[in-house]
Amino acid sequence: MVFICFVLDLRSLSPPLLRDLKQSMLQLANFYAISSPTSSTSSSRSKPLLDRIGLCYLFKNRLSRTDELKVAYSPRGNFSLRDFHHAVNNLPSDAFLPDFNGSGALCCSDLKLSSVLNDKILYSWGGHSKDITRKVVLISSCIFETLDSATKKVLTDAAANCISVEFVFLEQNSSHLADIPESINKFLKQIGDLDNCSFQNYIPDAHTLSGLVKKWFQELKEGLEEQMQARFVFKINLLGSTNRISCNLCTSFNQIIDEFVPCKSCRCHGIPFDTSRTIPTDMSSCPVTGVELGVLDLVDSSVKIGEHTILYMPSFQCCQDLQKVPLPINFNVIERTNLSSLDEGIILGASYIVTPAFSELDDTDISELNVKLFRVLCGILHSLDQGLVCSSNCNIETAKQTSFLCYYILLPSEKGVMILRRLAGSEEVLPVPDITNIACIPVSKDIENSLQASLLKIELRNYDPVQHDRGFHQRLNLLVKESLQFGAIPAKAKEQVTASNTALQDPVVEDLSVQANDVEVIEENVLDSILADGKTGAKITEEWEQLVVLEMPKMSSPTCISKLKLHKEVSSPLLSTGKLDDKTSRILERLEIPKQLKRKAASPTLSTFHTVSISSVKKPLIPFGPSNPDSQVIVLSQPIKPNFQRLKRKR
């Protein structure tokens, strides 16, 4: 974790340079506000962003003519983007009072480092944890030719406390008459014996300031993201017994968000509510403590900046409601660019194949002309080895409109089609890591010859996706094979018909069960409550008569068939209640149970029938192992129509 304290020497910064430097400070705060740790757990998202940026400035008191240091922003807890912007915007703009030495260069007598490197300011930030790294960045347009003994002692004590100090010299146009290299050499000799001090000299243009902001932002991200390590293993030895190369992986861009989202937050901690994970209720609870919050404890007008930063707003009018982009998507061509000079590190996102639109339903001449223009454009760009840079307010990966411009490049190909890729903007590009220590290492001819010979042994061929199988089908086939060996598909709770019962029942019973598609069995207590009503009982009698006697199986009530027990166990209690009329009793007495079910009635598990819904569903696979006898359920078939023999009349 890194704490950075920026000290701006306003005495030497001209108003135009100070204006650009203020914008750089604001950009750094904006980058840090939308940064988030690599962990995607809910606990990490609920934690606020730790404050790790400090801002001080040096100025000359016009009355006492003494150099003073003021603290504009001090990190004391959670990072406040609003307070940091307020501190930067209120830096005094009339503090430019340059002093010149004999050679015409800007000079400053006192750096006031002792006012920063003490227990009240820098040493108190972040506590006394050993994992904290502190750094002071002094930005000035002065060359400090001499350092007094007090300043050297302060720098030496800072080195003992693992605090680094970086002197950033921004050369201005007014210093072109001075001997800048000689002054820099004198200063480097004074800090040469201090390992914690460094000196950087820049010309403050737009690229330089943007690079400094990205460099400082990467230092702040060291505590948020871990650098990935990798190694490339070869099938052959590259040099001696070495067959691998270890590397560090880092991204070349930092993709920013597409919009600012309105949200609700709590006043106690200022953390937005995660509406996607919470159940919508009338009461809201604090994301940190879980305590229920009242109406006055909520901030309805908040804007979410990244995952950990919010801004309190008077209204949501500044936030656009971004919708799906209407088709067709417009890409505005800005410029041509040489593909040889294009850094592939700034190309991000997926590739989209671009082909000319042609429709026979439209005007054929217009469609053919569109195809011809596309082919000629692709051919010319390919011959020039150039691409077209375009801008759009659409993010093609999300197919939504964006609040900010997105840049794309249209790449030609030899095949006659083109490819559209996303390009990183100025806010997204990160500087290339420092590789000066790699370039200065000499390489012998033996290493070069050995590595070249090893590379020539690796097979060379054009990449064909068909010849590079990732093993998806093989793995899925094995999973399906294991699933088949596991056994039957478990039946759902509503579908009590199991495969084991279907396989064990006799053919006659199975045929009867297929015919009973419209029969539904209900609970006994439901039947008893219905039979208590005389009108309902008469209706059930009529439906039974239609089903059994008149062969009319269509019944208007689902209560036409009860959850019957075996013949005498069902009919006798119903008859003893006295609630059924004689006609219904005679019909129930005439019902006979199939002989197959009578033989299975001896099992104790058949005393109670479960609710069964018989439907024509696909039967699950028969399990390889033995079925559980407790889960077997008897399938009720359609009642057998009694056979009434007519008596022959005697003549």
Side-chain angles (χ1 to χ4, degrees), residues 495-523:
E495 298 174 356
Q496 298 293 337
V497 181
T498 60
S500 58
N501 296 328
T502 306
L504 293 175
Q505 62 183 348
D506 290 343
V508 178
V509 180
E510 181 179 0
D511 183 69
L512 292 174
S513 64
V514 174
Q515 299 176 8
N517 291 331
D518 297 327
V519 179
E520 181 179 359
V521 181
I522 63 173
E523 298 290 343

Side-chain angles (χ1 to χ4, degrees), residues 89 211 214 301 309 346 490 504 559:
N89 292 326
K214 305 295 178 54
S301 57
T309 306
I346 64 175
L504 293 175
T559 62

